[in-house]
Amino acid sequence: MPSIQNYIDGEWTDSESGDTFETVNPAAPSEVVAAYQESTASDADAAVAAAADAETGWASVPAPERGAILKAAGDVLAERKSELTSQLTREEGKTHAEAGGEVQRAVDIFHYYAQKARDLGGTVKSSSGRRTNLYTREEPVGVTALITPWNYPIAIPAWKIAPALAAGNVVTIKPASLAPGPAVSIVEALDEAGIPDGAINLVTGPGKTVGNAVIGHGRVDAVSFTGSSAVGHQVYDLATDDSKRVQTEMGGKNPTIVADSADVEEAADIVASGAFGVTGQACTAGSRAIVYEDVYDEFVDAIVDRATAIEVGPGDEYDMGPQVSEDELESTLGYIDVAKEEGATLAAGGSAPDGGRFGDGYFVEPTVFSDVSVDHRLAQEEVFGPVLAVLEVDGFEDAIDVANNVNYGLSASILTHDHTEANCFVEETEAGVAKINEKTTGLELHVPFGGFKSSSSETWREQGDAGLDFYTIEKTVYENF
């Protein structure tokens, strides 16, 4: 079993605590995947200090040279894709197809921002004076702290690290303890690519100790967080106490509206992919199907067929893998019990299979509830598991009201052949991502991503040019001659 160290100031090092914690394969929890450092606040302080000491040096590296290092790191990840895919499946539980797609996304992100680094600079403006040059400079914010989740353990670190480094910032990252391995692999790739000491630092350990120490550190200038809404609001409060720049991307309760003009069989395929893909463990997962009454019964039958056809098992062989941990599984099963108690109809799934290929893994069946009311907890709260609530509505206005009647606003979709409905949906949906005839999951890397309401701090978006905006600050220059 490998023992993974922290990466601080260009060196792999043990925590001062001398302690480690283990990660396990969620498909077979008796199988230990790796041991990581049980770091302390002092370790976090050392990582931030190393970043701060490297700040000026990394910022002074020409942006195309920074981009070349990102390109080289992306190449290393590409060369290791097969290995990283297996690592992600073993530590997080995704199927091989899902894990391979996520690793490729990390590669693509590094290559994308490697090229975008060349575009950094500023703009020239016309001055009202005859002998004045007027222009802007884009400069790095400084020392950044990145807190990343377990559900996309290589893609999300990539889309935070790459733009931060491309813009000339220095980074300390604290990955989630359930699956830190893929983030470690990114740091290994950057180290191999020749990044200067201190420009990237990684510390593993508990969020309340390591995460809070990094976020609250006096030398940190900006904080980027992805995770649950409950933790995200705490991160925001801690980071803004001393006026740090902060972005938080959090949970979702994402609706897919199924109109009566949609092809029901096709709609069921789309909804099933968004609800049950990655075992429902995505902030953009489609957890609510809001269906017009004229096609409601037909849709329920079709989505039940899709759910029951999914083969559950270890991710290296089956259609849907396990949940990441026992706690996540118990949370999902708890919501299933609540839905039954509230009077929803269990139409498919609802159990945790065991024995045979399931062993003691954290498996749950793809689950569909019909007859869900808008005030049920299943229609209001994020489950973060493969559980779909199907709600019946009498038309578009009712559907959009139900879709917006939650505290979240991350991703939303409508399946319709009515052009007017589609355009009204885009105008009226209270979500940061609006999709027409697509599942709620799946994001392009070159456009902004973020939510409304409790899904986001609504401060800065991620990915694309917006990802660089968070990590840069403009300086305006007046040059008289």
Side-chain angles (χ1 to χ4, degrees):
M1 178 189 67
S3 181
I4 311 301
Q5 297 175 300
N6 290 332
Y7 186 80
I8 299 174
D9 201 18
E11 298 288 340
W12 295 99
T13 181
D14 291 337
S15 167
E16 69 160 21
S17 72
D19 296 327
T20 61
F21 65 93
E22 295 176 343
T23 59
V24 301
N25 182 346
S30 60
E31 176 190 336
V32 176
V33 175
Y36 298 88
Q37 302 303 306
E38 185 87 16
S39 302
T40 66
S42 294
D43 296 316
D45 181 75
V48 174
D53 289 345
E55 178 183 2
T56 301
W58 179 242
S60 67
V61 173
E65 187 176 332
R66 297 196 297 263
I69 291 175
L70 295 183
K71 171 63 167 57
D75 291 344
V76 172
L77 295 175
E79 291 167 3
R80 297 179 59 194
K81 181 177 178 180
S82 178
E83 170 195 343
L84 295 176
T85 296
S86 295
Q87 176 198 49
L88 204 161
T89 294
R90 287 185 66 223
E91 195 165 64
E92 195 273 347
K94 282 187 173 73
T95 67
H96 265 216
E98 293 165 343
E102 184 179 342
V103 173
Q104 185 59 51
R105 185 176 183 85
V107 172
D108 294 343
I109 287 168
F110 269 87
H111 287 169
Y112 172 80
Y113 282 110
Q115 292 300 316
K116 292 298 292 183
R118 294 178 178 274
D119 294 335
L120 292 169
T123 58
V124 176
K125 300 291 186 180
S126 296
S127 170
S128 57
R130 293 181 181 274
R131 298 178 64 82
T132 301
N133 291 328
L134 184 61
Y135 60 96
T136 66
R137 287 170 48 92
E138 291 178 340
E139 299 187 351
V141 174
V143 180
T144 65
L146 313 181
I147 312 296
T148 58
W150 53 262
N151 63 321
Y152 284 93
I154 195 165
I156 292 179
W159 82 47
K160 293 181 188 292
I161 290 171
L165 293 176
N169 299 275
V170 288
V171 170
T172 295
I173 181 169
K174 206 297 284 187
S177 295
L178 285 172
V184 172
S185 296
I186 289 178
V187 175
E188 289 173 343
L190 286 163
D191 180 66
E192 187 172 334
I195 195 166
D197 295 348
I200 179 77
N201 304 274
L202 178 142
V203 186
T204 58
K208 288 185 177 180
T209 302
V210 179
N212 286 353
V214 172
I215 295 163
H217 199 289
R219 299 183 76 177
V220 167
D221 300 298
V223 175
S224 180
F225 167 87
T226 299
S228 71
S229 295
V231 176
H233 293 309
Q234 296 172 16
V235 168
Y236 184 87
D237 290 342
L238 179 59
T240 55
D241 275 349
D242 54 358
S243 301
K244 291 180 174 68
R245 181 178 291 205
V246 60
Q247 64 179 182
T248 61
E249 293 302 336
M250 300 176 282
K253 191 64 184 173
N254 310 293
T256 302
I257 295 172
V258 181
D260 53 12
S261 63
D263 180 292
V264 172
E265 296 297 323
E266 182 180 3
D269 287 337
I270 292 171
V271 172
S273 180
F276 307 131
V278 297
T279 319
Q281 297 177 135
C283 55
T284 55
S287 62
R288 293 182 293 154
I290 301 169
V291 186
Y292 289 15
E293 59 188 355
D294 289 347
V295 294
Y296 181 83
D297 291 337
E298 184 182 357
F299 176 82
V300 170
D301 289 342
I303 195 67
V304 166
D305 287 345
R306 302 308 188 278
T308 54
I310 293 171
E311 292 190 339
V312 180
D316 52 358
E317 295 185 51
Y318 292 91
D319 301 332
M320 192 182 88
Q323 297 218 246
V324 73
S325 69
E326 185 175 10
D327 285 347
E328 290 295 328
L329 173 62
E330 291 302 321
S331 175
T332 297
L333 294 174
Y335 272 107
I336 290 171
D337 289 341
V338 166
K340 293 175 183 176
E341 293 167 3
E342 290 185 327
T345 300
L346 178 62
S351 299
D354 57 13
R357 68 175 183 264
F358 305 111
D360 58 350
Y362 307 131
F363 295 99
V364 63
E365 296 171 329
T367 299
V368 177
F369 278 96
S370 59
D371 303 317
V372 178
S373 297
V374 68
D375 59 345
H376 285 179
R377 288 180 61 191
L378 194 64
Q380 293 291 323
E381 299 177 15
E382 185 177 39
V383 176
F384 227 65
V387 180
L388 176 69
V390 187
L391 298 90
E392 184 176 359
V393 293
D394 60 16
F396 177 78
E397 293 302 328
D398 190 15
I400 200 72
D401 287 345
V402 170
N404 290 337
N405 187 24
V406 292
N407 291 327
Y408 297 101
L410 188 54
S411 181
S413 174
I414 187 169
L415 309 180
T416 181
H417 290 300
D418 186 318
H419 191 64
T420 298
E421 279 186 340
N423 281 276
C424 289
F425 166 78
V426 170
E427 289 184 2
E428 297 179 36
T429 186
E430 295 172 357
V433 177
K435 294 191 169 189
I436 301 166
N437 297 327
E438 283 194 41
K439 61 184 178 180
T440 55
T441 53
L443 305 167
E444 296 276 1
L445 62 85
H446 60 292
V447 291
F449 170 66
F452 296 166
K453 299 190 281 190
S454 288
S455 292
S456 171
S457 56
E458 299 185 355
T459 46
W460 305 85
R461 293 312 197 204
E462 296 194 277
Q463 305 199 100
D465 290 330
L468 289 168
D469 290 343
F470 175 71
Y471 295 107
T472 57
I473 192 164
E474 280 196 316
K475 178 184 291 181
T476 303
V477 180
Y478 295 80
E479 179 191 21
N480 293 324
F481 60 93

